[in-house]
Amino acid sequence: MDVQVENAIEIAWNPHSEQSLKSQAIEFLNQLRSDPQGWQVCFSLATREPRASEVVRHVALEVVNTAIQGRQVDESGLLLVRDSLLTYIRSIYGGTGGDVLQDPVTIQNKITQTATYLFTALYSSQWQTFFGDFLALVSTAHTSVQENFIGTSIYLKILMSVHDEIADVAIQRSPEEQRRDNKLKDLVRERDAQMIAQSWQNILLYWNPRDGRIIDQCLSTVGKWAGWTDLSLIINDSLLNVLFELVSFPPTLTQKEGGNELRETSLNTFIEILAKKMKPNDKLELIEVLRVKDVVSQLISSPLLHDARPTSNYDTDFAEIVAKLVNNAVFDIVNVLEGASPVDPILLKGNRLLKEFLPFVLRFFADEYDEICSSVIPCLTDLLTFLRKKAQTDVDYASVLPLILQAIVAKMRYDETSSWGNEDAQTDEAEFQELRKRLQVLQQAVAAVDEQLYIDTICGIVGNSLDNFQSQRGQVDWRDVDLAMHEMFLFGELAVKNGGLYSKTKPVSPAAERLIGMLSKLIESDVASFSHPAIQLQYMEICVRYSTFFEANSHLIPRVLENFVRFVHHDHVKVKTRSWYLFHRFVKNLRQQLGNIAQTVIQALGDLLPIKAEMPEENSENDDMSSDENDRSAIAVFTSQLYLYEAIGCMCGTPAVPVENQVLFVRSIINPLFADLESHLSPAGAGDERAILQVHHLIMALGTVARGFSDWTPASTSPSAKPPAEAISEEFSRTAEAILVALETLSSSVEIRTAARFAFSRLIGVLGNRILPQLIRWIDGLLSQTSSKDEMALFLRLLDQVVYGFKTEIFDILNTLLTPFLQRVFSGIAEPISGTDDSIQLSELKLQYLNFLLVILNNDLDSVLVSSTNQPAFETVISTIEHFAKDVTDFPTAKLAFSVLVRMVTTWGGPDRQSAAPKTHNNTPSTTQPSLPGFDRFMMERFSPLCWAFPSDANFNPKDAQGRQVLGEAAGLQKAIWAKTGQEYLTWLREVELRGMGMNEASMEEYLHALCTFDAKRFRQFFQALVQRRNR
């Protein structure tokens, strides 16, 4: 059997084995794993002499370990494995002498795992000498000297493995496993913790400085076990002396023996010990016992972290570990101080330690390397939260705030090695901007503690930087100017937190007043003339963010616009494309203040408007990047160019520009686009892909100009939003016609349909009711035979806007186009689906179809659904709603379908026969007739049964939250029908519907009583409970 298993493993793991043979081998091994006796063969194979190959032994031990962990081995088998394993380990690792071949590391790890699984199974009762048996390995036979290297190493590995198995907090455990592990930890603490701690002391005393590898292992083990064992057993002079010696300079061990690695391990041991949960006073005492302050102080002044800091030899990994130690210590100190009462004696010690550690925090926070700085941000955040509570009453605490704020601001600055805009440094730039976001949070925390300090500090930095720029005529470091402008940008978090800078022409706050002063100085200093791209971008961002400043200082707008015009022509692609967007934002925010400068600016931008579509490069390495990340891609540039068109639309529509000039401006923009569109239609129709893309871009540009020109929407009640003049609408009617011609010519292209749909939604605001006669052509073009469900859903959403906006004017047109339009929607719904995406699109189409019906019903256009023109389609409309209302696989659609039915009942059911007040179900019938003849009977026969058909589906789960919502809508439908039909509905339910369902008399009485007497909310709850009872 051993031979079979060995051969199977060799074949399965041999990359050159035949596939059929390999499959047989794998199948054999899978059967072996499930065989109750398979582990015995594997254990024998793993420990036999002569030894099998490493892969055979590794797989064999894995089978054994899986069997033990999976409880496939009974107690007698476990004891057999224990005895055999101990015999093997003593022979190989016991240091008995002779030429013993050591196991490879992979086998050592597997054997360690075997021992660990045996520990969890046997330690509580059958193997109480577990740790003592393996501790014996550290000494060779017949001697008490712990000089056995391999035995000591395997002993420490087993200790580490035991910790990982029962005490590693990063591992998720079931409640049963957690109870087992807690019991084992208690037993270890009770039986063997003292012995194990003494063994660490002995190992450290013997092996330091003989071999750094053992010291490293031992300290790592101590650090892990410190979290769940008694620290009084661990912390002693021997351990502390070794730790202090290893972190000292110069190190005792030579470099080749691992001095640097051991120093890092010793620091990690400090960190692990310090992380142990304990009482506040004990934690502060631990910090002092470990002499953390002295250790950190020595390390900071050491050559490794001090002399080498400005050089390439600076050990950033080591500095990060020291920073983490400082972070954890300060976190613990602050935590103690926060929980202490004002009269607690612990405050004196905590305050003293905090003041001692603060310089360390600031040292690492100011480190040139961001990863080191980031290591102390958590403790600094906690410290500022603490200071927010204490600084108002404690002068000592308040005095540290300026130091912290200065350090934060200094860290906001680009370092001297940074080169903005360098493609090779994009990752570093992104990381720095992420760090700035974290620093901003710290600044806000400082402002929350001492707002005036924050205001004075930032205003001083900005003012000094702008003064230097003026006095030195721009010959300053761009990093200083960038820092000042970045801080000015962030200052708005405080200055405009209430929504603006001014209240009745006066600053809303002292911070707003200071910001207004900084903005004035920014414009007057002409910092926009600075040539560095980062400064130019910051300038535009600030002008856009604080556009309300220019509303009160409109005399500065021409100067700023002049700078914007220069930036939109910039040579740097990032500045240029970003400036197009920012220019659009600036113009849109200030369109009421632009005045007659519009014409000058429009003319200055003329050279940027020609559109040149570029096909995306195949197999481009940037294909997966978004336009924000890849500013040089053709699609990203075009997207930014559209912002220019929208900005120009805004400027054309400025109220200060006379209508006749507006017409001229619009023509100057759209006429070149018309000519370009006409020239590309023929090649696009012939299948020229670049021509199709050009037409797509031109349509998008035309639609974007319209969006920029007018903020008005049909049915708008805002007094500030007015429809454009007739002359303007006439010009944009030409735009709509040009787009329609392109759409009708190229309706088979999804790109053209997408662009046309985009333009259609933007043209509504400039055309008004002029768009209504064109609706049929828009529908024909946008809903072609090749249109996807997603396109239909999007167009339905647009049509909702049109119906709502022109509800008083659209009846005749809607009456004409409704049936053919709905036929296309029905065809889309009926198409078979293929794949998840198609299923999602279908769900969206159904929702938008139902929403469209609701818009018609809610805007007094219900008669269009039942007109003589559309009567033939009415049955299909009702059938689709019925189908959706019974679909238990799509709860959102079913819920909306019931909402549509309720609306139909309230619209066509006539006046209420029953009020909302509770009634009995023996009321006298009313003779009130429905507004739609025969609809009272129709809704009882067609709508009411749906309320029971939905929950009667075998796949319906009444406990599903979304399903219960649908039941709530179904209950609302029944209440609506009862309100319109009264006793007639009750009779129908009793004699036909409920009896046909097999409901008994008692249940019918209960149901009918609830329907008549409960209010809507109570009946909804009753119906949901009733369905749940019936579905048990």
Side-chain angles (χ1 to χ4, degrees), residues 730-922:
E730 181 63 34
E731 289 301 316
F732 281 107
S733 292
R734 296 171 54 224
T735 298
E737 182 63 29
I739 295 173
L740 279 170
V741 170
L743 177 61
E744 289 164 348
T745 305
L746 304 169
S747 62
S748 60
S749 169
V750 64
E751 291 84 4
I752 301 303
R753 293 198 301 271
T754 300
R757 186 172 60 249
F758 170 90
F760 173 79
S761 66
R762 274 71 180 173
L763 286 168
I764 295 172
V766 289
L767 291 180
N769 58 13
R770 288 173 176 262
I771 204 168
L772 297 181
Q774 300 175 339
L775 266 183
I776 295 178
R777 294 175 65 192
W778 284 106
I779 292 173
D780 287 340
L782 292 174
L783 299 185
S784 72
Q785 296 300 320
T786 58
S787 293
S788 66
K789 299 179 182 66
D790 189 45
E791 290 182 78
M792 293 183 187
L794 290 171
F795 186 73
L796 275 166
R797 196 177 300 170
L798 288 178
L799 208 54
D800 290 347
Q801 299 176 26
V802 176
V803 172
Y804 174 75
F806 302 106
K807 52 190 171 186
T808 60
E809 307 166 77
I810 200 174
F811 181 87
D812 290 337
I813 295 174
L814 188 60
N815 190 47
T816 301
L817 62 82
L818 183 63
T819 293
F821 172 66
L822 289 180
Q823 291 298 337
R824 298 194 185 191
V825 175
F826 296 153
S827 297
I829 292 174
E831 288 177 359
I833 60 173
S834 57
T836 303
D837 291 344
D838 208 23
S839 177
I840 293 173
Q841 289 185 14
L842 176 60
S843 296
E844 182 63 22
L845 176 58
K846 290 189 292 187
L847 288 174
Q848 292 306 323
Y849 161 67
L850 293 171
N851 270 321
F852 176 66
L853 295 178
L854 275 179
V855 169
I856 291 176
L857 293 167
N858 290 335
N859 287 281
D860 299 324
L861 293 167
D862 52 280
S863 56
V864 77
L865 292 171
V866 292
S867 69
S868 58
T869 304
N870 298 304
Q871 188 68 44
F874 183 72
E875 176 59 29
T876 308
V877 170
I878 297 298
S879 297
T880 55
I881 300 173
E882 288 176 327
H883 175 72
F884 297 157
K886 294 186 289 186
D887 188 357
V888 297
T889 64
D890 189 349
F891 290 141
T893 301
K895 180 183 176 184
L896 191 56
F898 275 110
S899 298
V900 174
L901 294 174
V902 170
R903 186 59 189 169
M904 286 181 171
V905 169
T906 57
T907 301
W908 291 325
D912 287 354
R913 299 187 188 183
Q914 305 292 340
S915 67
K919 299 282 185 179
T920 67
H921 58 275
N922 294 315

Side-chain angles (χ1 to χ4, degrees), residues 260 263-264 304-305 308 312-320 372:
N260 283 344
R263 191 179 294 113
E264 292 181 6
L304 202 61
L305 297 186
S312 59
N313 294 325
Y314 185 43
D315 191 339
T316 56
D317 292 337
F318 183 63
E320 194 172 347
I372 298 172

Side-chain angles (χ1 to χ4, degrees), residues 336-617:
V336 170
L337 290 174
E338 282 187 323
S341 65
V343 295
D344 197 328
I346 202 174
L347 283 175
L348 290 175
K349 183 186 291 186
N351 287 332
R352 175 177 56 80
L353 286 173
L354 184 59
K355 292 171 184 175
E356 290 174 349
F357 274 87
L358 184 60
F360 303 152
V361 175
L362 297 179
R363 150 65 180 89
F364 288 110
F365 181 75
D367 197 280
E368 293 80 0
Y369 290 88
D370 294 346
E371 60 269 23
I372 298 172
C373 164
S374 299
S375 297
V376 294
I377 287 180
C379 77
L380 196 54
T381 303
D382 288 343
L383 174 59
L384 288 171
T385 302
F386 170 69
L387 292 179
R388 185 175 183 178
K389 304 172 184 175
K390 301 292 185 181
Q392 303 297 331
T393 57
D394 194 311
V395 177
D396 288 340
Y397 284 134
S399 65
V400 306
L401 277 175
L403 298 175
I404 295 175
L405 181 56
Q406 289 168 13
I408 295 170
V409 173
K411 196 64 190 172
M412 283 275 195
R413 185 180 183 272
Y414 277 96
D415 62 47
E416 299 298 331
T417 62
S418 58
S419 54
W420 187 94
N422 190 334
E423 288 188 5
D424 295 335
Q426 285 183 358
T427 301
D428 293 341
E429 170 73 13
E431 290 175 351
F432 178 63
Q433 294 305 327
E434 189 62 34
L435 176 63
R436 273 187 163 181
K437 292 178 183 178
R438 299 181 68 187
L439 295 173
Q440 178 188 353
V441 174
L442 294 178
Q443 278 194 171
Q444 290 173 339
V446 173
V449 178
D450 191 337
E451 184 174 297
Q452 194 58 49
L453 169 67
Y454 173 73
I455 292 173
D456 292 340
T457 301
I458 299 305
C459 291
I461 291 169
V462 174
N464 291 337
S465 179
L466 295 178
D467 286 341
N468 290 338
F469 179 82
Q470 284 183 294
S471 63
Q472 299 179 32
R473 298 181 180 179
Q475 302 302 309
V476 293
D477 192 326
W478 70 269
R479 298 171 183 83
D480 295 326
V481 182
D482 172 83
L483 173 64
M485 297 182 74
H486 182 68
E487 290 291 1
M488 191 189 305
F489 184 85
L490 298 182
F491 196 77
E493 297 293 332
L494 176 65
V496 295
K497 61 183 178 182
N498 295 322
L501 289 172
Y502 296 94
S503 175
K504 297 181 180 179
T505 71
K506 293 184 178 180
V508 295
S509 66
E513 185 175 5
R514 299 290 289 273
L515 178 57
I516 291 168
M518 288 190 287
L519 288 168
S520 297
K521 195 166 190 175
L522 176 76
I523 307 303
E524 293 167 1
S525 68
D526 197 27
V527 74
S529 64
F530 198 80
S531 60
H532 197 280
I535 307 306
Q536 296 166 345
L537 282 174
Q538 286 275 26
Y539 176 87
M540 291 185 286
E541 297 280 2
I542 289 172
C543 290
V544 169
R545 180 168 197 184
Y546 305 122
S547 59
T548 54
F549 166 79
F550 296 99
E551 293 177 5
N553 298 273
S554 57
H555 65 284
L556 296 175
I557 293 177
R559 188 172 182 177
V560 174
L561 279 176
E562 183 180 345
N563 291 324
F564 266 99
V565 169
R566 182 159 49 87
F567 295 148
V568 297
H569 289 87
H570 205 283
D571 293 334
H572 196 293
V573 65
K574 183 174 181 180
V575 176
K576 180 165 65 175
T577 53
R578 180 64 178 171
S579 69
W580 293 350
Y581 166 73
L582 294 172
F583 173 71
H584 149 259
R585 287 278 308 280
F586 187 75
V587 168
K588 189 171 185 178
N589 292 342
L590 298 171
R591 66 184 303 170
Q592 303 296 327
Q593 287 79 28
L594 292 181
N596 292 325
I597 196 175
Q599 181 176 1
T600 304
V601 177
I602 291 171
Q603 291 173 347
L605 299 178
D607 61 314
L608 298 174
L609 297 183
I611 292 174
K612 184 179 179 181
E614 297 180 20
M615 298 299 296
E617 297 180 9

Side-chain angles (χ1 to χ4, degrees), residues 656-673:
V657 177
V659 173
E660 58 271 19
N661 288 349
Q662 290 183 4
V663 172
L664 292 175
F665 293 163
V666 171
R667 286 177 182 172
S668 69
I669 303 303
I670 65 176
N671 283 347
L673 298 177

Side-chain angles (χ1 to χ4, degrees), residues 187-206:
L187 288 173
V188 171
R189 286 188 283 256
E190 177 186 335
R191 296 173 181 171
D192 295 314
Q194 186 170 356
M195 177 188 70
I196 293 169
Q198 184 61 48
S199 73
W200 292 331
Q201 181 178 345
N202 294 338
I203 290 170
L204 291 173
L205 286 173
Y206 180 81

